[in-house]
Amino acid sequence: MNAFIFPGQGAQFVGMGLDLYENHAAAQELFEDANEILGFSITDIMFEGTPEDLKQTKVTQPAIFLHSVILSQVMGDTFTPEMVAGHSLGEFSALVANGVLRFEDGLRLVSKRAQAMQKACELQPGTMAAVLGLDDAIVEKICEETSGIVVAANYNCPGQLVISGEVDAVHAACEKLKEAGARRALVLPVGGAFHSPLMQPAREELAAAIEATSFNPAVCPVYQNVTTTAVIDSGEIKDNLISQLTAPVKWTQTIQQMVKDGATRFTEVGPGKVLQGLVRKITPESETASAVIAS
């Protein structure tokens, strides 16, 4: 079965989407629509901005969403999903590609999500750290035993887990994780504690926007970060999207479930190849590929 997967924050690069804009009239129209919806020229930043400009959460999230969704729409007959999933932000791209959300509604929600997360970061500073070379259970136990708020946030692949929470708590947990034998426990250059309880204010803000948005039934099953199982019901999809901001991204478990349900080929739709690398570590026997644009 063909699974299509959509990347999240961190996959951005300067120049992203320019080839789509220059070579496809439909893509150009969607990019121009996006500039109007957002109220600023995101295309200028995507195509010609600095890496620093592109790193701002309010820019990064819509930029990756746009690249992924527009790419899915110019793939033509090569976009034949039997199941979809997205890593964190990528879940919104997956839902537009899967017919659950209209392009305009998806973009507005992603923009709202980015702004709400930025506000939450300013309200309560936090950070994240990548932990390599330890079993998930050990990482979880050390997080539980560390004073303050620190939780497992991204289960990216076996032996690679990201923790998130209060700055002091994350630093303290990193020291304990190194003592426990972690190959690395490295604090990441991020603006906040994503997928942790510190995102509760953003969750409340996003919940209101999601509840006010019309969701359609999914064309094919979507595997969501929170539950890792196949979902089609629009009400359940909404609930999971809201929970996602404060819950961990269970990417390893999601891919494993998709394989159990018949996925044999994973095509990454969006900038970069990060997800293909993770899939190869989770399920080496599965085929991976980048999106191919229709000729």
Side-chain angles (χ1 to χ4, degrees):
M1 287 178 76
N2 287 321
F4 285 75
I5 51 178
F6 296 80
Q9 203 158 335
Q12 70 274 6
F13 62 91
V14 174
M16 61 189 288
L18 181 58
D19 56 334
L20 298 174
Y21 185 92
E22 290 180 339
N23 296 306
H24 301 272
Q28 188 175 120
E29 191 176 329
L30 288 171
F31 275 123
E32 296 295 352
D33 288 347
N35 287 340
E36 198 171 317
I37 290 166
L38 294 170
F40 67 95
S41 181
I42 194 167
T43 50
D44 284 352
I45 303 173
M46 289 173 70
F47 303 162
E48 300 169 348
T50 67
E52 283 305 309
D53 291 336
L54 200 53
K55 254 199 279 190
Q56 298 174 75
T57 297
K58 71 171 185 179
V59 174
T60 310
Q61 293 195 21
I64 292 168
F65 168 87
L66 285 171
H67 188 285
S68 299
V69 170
I70 291 172
L71 180 55
S72 75
Q73 297 201 9
V74 298
M75 286 175 67
D77 292 342
T78 63
F79 186 68
T80 54
E82 294 170 275
M83 51 177 75
V84 296
H87 190 286
S88 188
L89 159 72
E91 208 162 90
F92 288 84
S93 311
L95 291 174
V96 173
N98 196 19
V100 175
L101 280 169
R102 292 169 62 245
F103 170 79
E104 297 85 353
D105 290 338
L107 180 58
R108 287 190 183 97
L109 286 178
V110 165
S111 179
K112 169 67 78 175
R113 179 183 190 265
Q115 290 168 21
M117 288 171 76
Q118 186 60 48
K119 273 195 258 178
C121 294
E122 290 162 6
L123 273 173
Q124 192 167 3
T127 193
M128 304 176 81
V131 182
L132 305 182
L134 274 185
D135 286 345
D136 293 348
I138 295 172
V139 179
E140 290 163 353
K141 187 169 188 292
I142 287 173
C143 285
E144 284 171 18
E145 293 170 351
T146 301
S147 296
I149 297 172
V150 56
V151 296
N154 290 10
Y155 294 80
N156 285 332
C157 65
Q160 184 184 324
L161 202 159
V162 176
I163 62 173
S164 179
E166 295 168 337
V167 175
D168 289 347
V170 169
H171 281 272
C174 283
E175 292 309 310
K176 291 181 185 177
L177 290 162
K178 288 175 193 168
E179 288 167 13
R183 195 163 75 248
R184 292 185 81 180
L186 181 70
V187 175
L188 299 171
V190 295
F194 306 139
H195 300 290
S196 83
L198 272 63
M199 286 292 112
Q200 184 60 32
R203 174 176 163 157
E204 290 166 10
E205 200 172 326
L206 184 64
I210 286 175
E211 293 298 354
T213 301
S214 176
F215 278 48
N216 304 311
V219 172
C220 67
V222 55
Y223 288 72
Q224 291 186 275
N225 295 173
V226 173
T227 62
T228 78
T229 52
V231 183
I232 290 179
D233 178 73
S234 55
E236 195 178 339
I237 289 170
K238 280 188 176 188
D239 290 344
N240 291 338
L241 264 191
I242 293 164
S243 297
Q244 192 215 68
L245 274 186
T246 52
V249 175
K250 297 178 180 175
W251 190 249
T252 301
Q253 300 91 323
T254 297
I255 297 300
Q256 288 168 341
Q257 187 61 50
M258 292 172 90
V259 170
K260 276 184 196 168
D261 291 350
T264 54
R265 176 185 170 91
F266 290 87
T267 301
E268 183 166 6
V269 186
K273 297 182 177 181
V274 171
L275 296 186
Q276 291 173 68
L278 296 181
V279 168
R280 283 195 289 270
K281 289 174 182 171
I282 297 165
T283 171
E285 68 278 9
S286 297
E287 190 182 344
T288 60
S290 296
V292 176
I293 297 171
S295 54

